[in-house]
Amino acid sequence: MSITVRVPAKVNVQLAVGAPRPDGYHDLANVFLAVGLYDTVTATPADGLRLTVTGPDAAQVPLDGSNLAARAALALAERAGRTADVHLHIAKDIPVAGGMAGGSADAAAALVACDALWGLATPREVLLSICADLGSDVPFSLVGEAALGTGRGEKLEPLEVGGTFHWVFAAADGGLSTPAVYREFDRLCEGREVPAPTASPALLAALREGDPHALAATVDNDLQPAALSLNPALAATLAAGTEAGALAALVSGSGPTTAFLAEDAPAAARIAEALTASGTCRSARVAASPAPGATVVGQDPEPDRDTVPARADQG
Ligand code: C5P
């Protein structure tokens, strides 16, 4: 028996960040949009907890207890009063440490996969609260589509999206540590009053109307100056995308992945090509949004898929 779950990456079309809280986190108005760039996580019964990863960035994924997918399986097993006897295989396509919630995505996918594999039928609110304990972005990876995240980003309110938005994502060399980017944000704000974060009504209207020009005029990421301060080379990538005709160019979350909003799918393809040719990024690829959250895409009832002939996945 194995369960395969597909889970999307995200881009923050608005990331308004407040002053640091006593617990070290920052209050946010975080407008999440799930994008059609996916990891898949396959859960198979095993003796103990095993983790394997494939994909271009696989070598950068930690395989120890710090891996969020492993922590998700352990948290669910503990709640169910059972052991986490599972092999989690992550087929990784979302950039690692890129500001696209790749680790959070794997955690949400592992949770859904283990829940199905172990036949737990855990209520959605309980899954969401386990997600929130694992990390601020994990609940959104579970629900996908578009949502406003408040608190530290974990309190979600679904948002309406009236069309398809076409994006290009440029991967940078190396990653950026999210805590380091928030620390840099605090440093850059020193001596200034940081206003309470609020979602932009114009941006929410642009999403509702599915209007890329209106969205481009309103996207805003308060972490962008901090990400650029830690990785100044990102400015050249942003400029190359703008020059190639992007309606908007911004750092995705805490970076260093950069996101470019395009007028339509052909424009996105042209921008991706120009970015790749510009030599200012490691790679560039297109993706559309919104995209569904963590979803079971395969259930293989065979006990050991290595010893039986290949069969089509169901579902
Ligand atoms: O919640 P998560 O573990 O993903 O957060 C990683 C780090 O990002 C936190 O330890 C904190 O430094 C920073 N963070 C923050 N405020 C948030 C979310 C994350 O300061 N709202």
Side-chain angles (χ1 to χ4, degrees), residues 57-285:
D57 288 352
Q60 294 155 52
V61 177
L63 293 177
D64 57 15
S66 71
N67 185 287
L68 268 186
R71 286 177 48 204
L74 287 168
L76 185 66
E78 189 182 354
R79 187 185 174 277
R82 53 164 296 143
T83 50
D85 291 330
V86 64
H87 172 198
L88 294 174
H89 177 74
I90 303 172
K92 188 124 207 74
D93 202 27
I94 304 174
V96 175
M100 298 194 76
S104 301
D106 299 343
L111 211 52
V112 171
C114 290
D115 186 61
L117 185 70
W118 298 335
L120 300 175
T122 308
R124 192 81 170 162
E125 321 81 79
V126 175
L127 287 181
L128 281 168
S129 100
I130 299 174
C131 286
D133 288 343
L134 291 165
S136 309
D137 288 349
V138 183
F140 179 72
S141 297
L142 186 75
V143 303
E145 304 295 349
L148 171 62
T150 53
R152 60 184 169 87
E154 86 288 11
K155 292 179 197 147
L156 295 178
E157 190 186 308
L159 294 174
E160 202 185 317
V161 182
T164 303
F165 292 100
H166 297 275
W167 295 92
V168 181
F169 294 97
D173 283 322
L176 276 176
S177 142
T178 303
V181 174
Y182 276 100
R183 274 197 303 276
E184 183 66 2
F185 170 86
D186 292 338
R187 195 184 68 78
L188 294 174
C189 289
E190 248 160 21
R192 269 197 287 140
E193 182 78 14
V194 180
T198 51
S200 150
L203 180 130
L204 300 183
L207 278 181
R208 227 174 14 248
E209 286 154 19
D211 179 345
H213 291 272
L215 185 62
T218 49
V219 290
D220 195 17
N221 178 2
D222 282 353
L223 291 182
Q224 181 159 317
L228 285 170
S229 168
L230 296 177
N231 188 344
L234 296 178
T237 322
L238 293 172
T242 304
E243 199 175 312
L247 302 178
L250 71 159
V251 170
S252 178
S254 57
T257 303
T258 41
F260 303 87
L261 183 58
E263 171 127 48
D264 52 24
R270 282 196 302 275
I271 294 162
E273 205 175 312
L275 276 166
T276 306
S278 75
T280 63
C281 59
R282 184 157 57 94
S283 59
R285 49 202 303 203

